[in-house]
Amino acid sequence: MTRKQRYESIVRWFAENRPDVQSELTFDSPFQLICAVVLSAQCTDKRVNMVTPALFERFPSPQALAAASPEEVYDIIKSVSYPNSKAAHLVGMARRLVEVYGGQVPSDIDELMTLPGVGRKTANVVASIVYDKPVIAVDTHVFRVAHRLGLSDGKTPEAVERDLEAHIAEELRPVAHHWLILHGRYICTARTPRCEECALKVWCKSYKA
């Protein structure tokens, strides 16, 4: 099976069986989404969704968060991973949003990446969900699933991103990120992948019957 055939089969299965998947993070605005994605680094969406209601109630806008201290934010988010650095990033991000972008979350990926705490993965998530940019964010789940399925052998997230975007149509890329991340989260898990339950095993490069 060629890589092109593998992509066609896997994308077709997802499109037919998981057409409406979306982010599991809870948010009501671009500002809330970027905060939630920053908090989700090396942390579960479930845990993030437990702390963001209080965070957004206390700091409902970039302006409110920009006026806060990292210590105030830390008290709210201390149950997530790396709370000290994330608190500092959130405040720094909000201040740059206010000072440089008038409180608006930019749509350009390079501009997003100038915000504290925002790397390429976070920038791609925000650009894809909020602005329908034809990009695919590669986190640890997407990286793992892409390799196991044989969709990429790239050594870096950026290389995997290039492979995925080269083979997945632009209009499908915003949802393709969710296909792969949720598949990695619930089926193709890191330690004990649930291969017997996986409908993609017939095309999977790693599966051994």
Side-chain angles (χ1 to χ4, degrees):
M1 178 183 294
T2 66
R3 178 171 287 183
K4 182 175 183 291
Q5 291 171 325
R6 180 172 280 109
Y7 265 97
E8 289 174 348
S9 299
I10 291 171
V11 168
R12 185 183 309 113
W13 185 89
F14 274 125
E16 292 174 354
N17 294 277
R18 302 288 187 271
D20 300 318
V21 294
Q22 55 189 337
S23 175
E24 293 187 319
L25 292 170
T26 301
F27 63 94
D28 291 323
S29 68
F31 167 66
Q32 290 189 359
L33 174 63
I34 198 169
C35 289
V37 179
V38 168
L39 289 170
S40 72
Q42 296 180 284
C43 188
T44 65
D45 287 0
K46 181 178 179 180
R47 170 56 58 183
V48 172
N49 289 337
M50 292 172 68
V51 304
T52 50
L55 179 70
F56 299 149
E57 181 179 5
R58 179 80 174 274
F59 308 111
S61 67
Q63 290 80 4
L65 185 55
S69 68
E71 290 75 21
E72 291 177 277
V73 176
Y74 172 87
D75 284 341
I76 298 173
I77 68 164
K78 59 188 175 184
S79 64
V80 305
S81 59
Y82 307 106
N84 283 297
S85 60
K86 288 179 180 178
H89 286 154
L90 287 177
V91 172
M93 177 192 69
R95 289 175 180 171
R96 184 167 176 82
L97 283 178
V98 172
E99 294 166 4
V100 180
Y101 299 106
Q104 301 299 310
V105 176
S107 61
D108 182 79
I109 289 172
D110 290 334
E111 290 183 340
L112 284 165
M113 289 174 63
T114 68
L115 300 171
V118 177
R120 187 168 186 84
K121 186 267 291 186
T122 296
N124 279 2
V125 170
V126 174
S128 173
I129 293 176
V130 176
Y131 299 110
D132 289 323
K133 296 280 186 178
V135 295
I136 296 179
V138 177
D139 66 355
T140 55
H141 293 301
V142 176
F143 190 86
R144 178 178 69 254
V145 171
H147 279 85
R148 286 181 178 171
L149 290 177
L151 302 178
S152 175
D153 54 10
K155 304 301 183 186
T156 65
E158 290 78 12
V160 172
E161 178 185 333
R162 287 193 295 271
D163 282 340
L164 294 172
E165 291 181 0
H167 292 86
I168 297 176
E170 286 192 2
E171 66 271 15
L172 292 177
R173 290 176 196 168
V175 72
H177 162 70
H178 299 305
W179 287 341
L180 296 172
I181 192 173
L182 295 176
H183 190 70
R185 187 173 291 165
Y186 297 113
I187 299 296
C188 193
T189 52
R191 295 183 181 178
T192 53
R194 298 161 64 180
C195 297
E196 295 308 318
E197 300 176 36
C198 181
L200 302 180
K201 63 179 178 286
V202 292
W203 305 296
C204 180
K205 194 173 181 179
S206 301
Y207 177 69
K208 294 178 177 58

